[in-house]
Amino acid sequence: ADASTNGTINTNADTYVNGGESGNGSHAASNENSDDITADDYEYDEDSYDDVYWHWMRLHIAVYFLNFDFAERMATKLNRAAANEPGYHLLTVRLFLTGIMASGRYHQTKRRKYLMMLRRCYRQSKKLNKTRGRNSLHRTKILHAEYLSATKQDNFRENKEAYDEAIHIAEQSGHIHEAAFGCELAGEYYLRFGLKSVAKHYFAQCFTYYKQWGGAAKLKYLKETRSDYLDKKLLVEDQPNGGGITTLEEMTIATS
């Protein structure tokens, strides 16, 4: 999504995520021995509590469209602004999005701090499943699969089992968009290793889930970025869904 100089958000699905945030924030060196994501992990130069929803929405968009550089800036701001917010849903989704961002940045940079951030998000999410309920178990499982893909990169069998379990739990619990996202992440993992046939399987499954969910913006994104790995039949059968989710803002609200 684009942001204009007055801070309004362009939700045209054609633009996806191009940056344009307000304020300044940077990730500080974190305590690698701690599993908790706290305000102390971040440096920030202004109180942005009133901007929680703004950063929350843009973090969703950035992560779902794999713009991890921008997602890092949004995660820094959101985690600082919402550090004292105890709400279960906000906390679990914040851990999930921050963890996926960290995974993406680790694959891009190979910097250890991102791997440690992913590990802390996974462990804290797992702890919440035990202490505050299992409604977000599928998110924890996706984080686990991403952590394995970073630490046991060539263990394809174990990683496939982890992704498949996460996708199955997300689907069974009715979180179709997160089942789709899990498939997409699995596809990207196998694509990094040149296993195109396996990647194609996950991208096809991802496309089907997003179509069921009504995520027109994601379908358009996949057709533009991963058409080589999508069956031609899927592309031909795909028709505009007049009742579906066509803007990034609608998608963000739907995932909240």
Side-chain angles (χ1 to χ4, degrees):
D2 265 333
S4 62
T5 54
N6 64 5
T8 59
I9 299 174
N10 177 353
T11 57
N12 186 333
D14 292 337
T15 62
Y16 303 124
V17 182
N18 295 314
E21 73 279 14
S22 63
N24 295 305
S26 61
H27 186 270
S30 59
N31 180 359
E32 294 186 358
N33 295 321
S34 172
D35 289 333
D36 291 338
I37 303 297
T38 70
D40 293 336
D41 286 328
Y42 298 89
E43 294 175 350
Y44 198 67
D45 65 357
E46 66 178 341
D47 180 5
S48 61
Y49 183 80
D50 291 339
D51 295 328
V52 167
Y53 179 74
W54 193 84
H55 296 314
W56 162 279
M57 181 172 69
R58 295 179 74 81
L59 177 58
H60 264 94
I61 294 170
V63 168
Y64 268 83
F65 288 92
L66 311 188
N67 188 328
F68 297 122
D69 180 64
F70 181 63
E72 181 178 11
R73 299 198 294 273
M74 289 299 97
T76 299
K77 294 171 186 249
L78 177 62
N79 284 319
R80 172 62 181 177
N84 297 316
E85 170 55 56
Y88 177 84
H89 182 66
L90 176 59
L91 178 57
T92 56
V93 174
R94 186 159 58 90
L95 287 169
F96 177 66
L97 296 175
T98 301
I100 298 299
M101 174 279 293
S103 178
R105 292 294 284 148
Y106 176 72
H107 291 304
Q108 290 173 342
T109 68
K110 301 304 180 185
R111 297 180 67 180
R112 182 174 172 80
K113 72 171 186 177
Y114 295 117
L115 185 60
M116 295 300 98
M117 187 186 297
L118 170 58
R119 185 179 71 175
R120 291 199 308 275
C121 287
Y122 163 60
R123 289 184 174 180
Q124 192 170 350
S125 182
K126 185 178 179 180
K127 180 179 178 180
L128 285 172
N129 292 153
K130 294 180 179 180
T131 60
R132 297 181 64 180
R134 294 164 59 88
N135 288 350
S136 66
L137 178 62
H138 61 289
R139 298 188 188 108
T140 303
K141 293 294 186 179
I142 293 174
L143 288 176
H144 179 232
E146 284 291 285
Y147 184 66
L148 289 179
S149 78
T151 57
K152 299 182 178 181
Q153 296 187 17
D154 58 353
N155 193 334
F156 303 121
R157 182 186 297 271
E158 182 179 357
N159 292 344
K160 185 179 188 303
E161 290 175 354
Y163 279 116
D164 288 348
E165 181 186 23
I167 293 163
H168 175 73
I169 293 174
E171 180 186 25
Q172 291 299 305
S173 60
H175 295 88
I176 299 300
H177 63 292
E178 286 168 324
F181 194 45
C183 290
E184 187 174 3
L185 293 172
E188 294 295 336
Y189 161 67
Y190 283 104
L191 199 57
R192 285 195 294 272
F193 289 90
L195 300 175
K196 296 181 180 180
S197 61
V198 185
K200 185 175 181 179
H201 162 75
Y202 281 109
F203 285 130
Q205 193 175 358
C206 166
F207 194 90
T208 299
Y209 280 138
Y210 275 131
K211 188 174 181 180
Q212 291 175 0
W213 183 54
K218 280 296 301 190
L219 294 176
K220 179 177 174 62
Y221 171 83
L222 288 169
K223 286 188 285 186
E224 290 181 352
T225 62
R226 291 292 178 254
S227 61
D228 290 344
Y229 307 100
L230 294 173
D231 192 290
K232 296 296 187 290
K233 184 178 179 181
L234 280 177
L235 299 177
V236 170
E237 290 179 349
D238 181 51
Q239 298 294 332
N241 182 353
I245 298 168
T246 58
T247 71
L248 298 182
E249 186 170 14
E250 288 172 349
M251 175 183 162
T252 304
I253 293 171
T255 59
S256 300

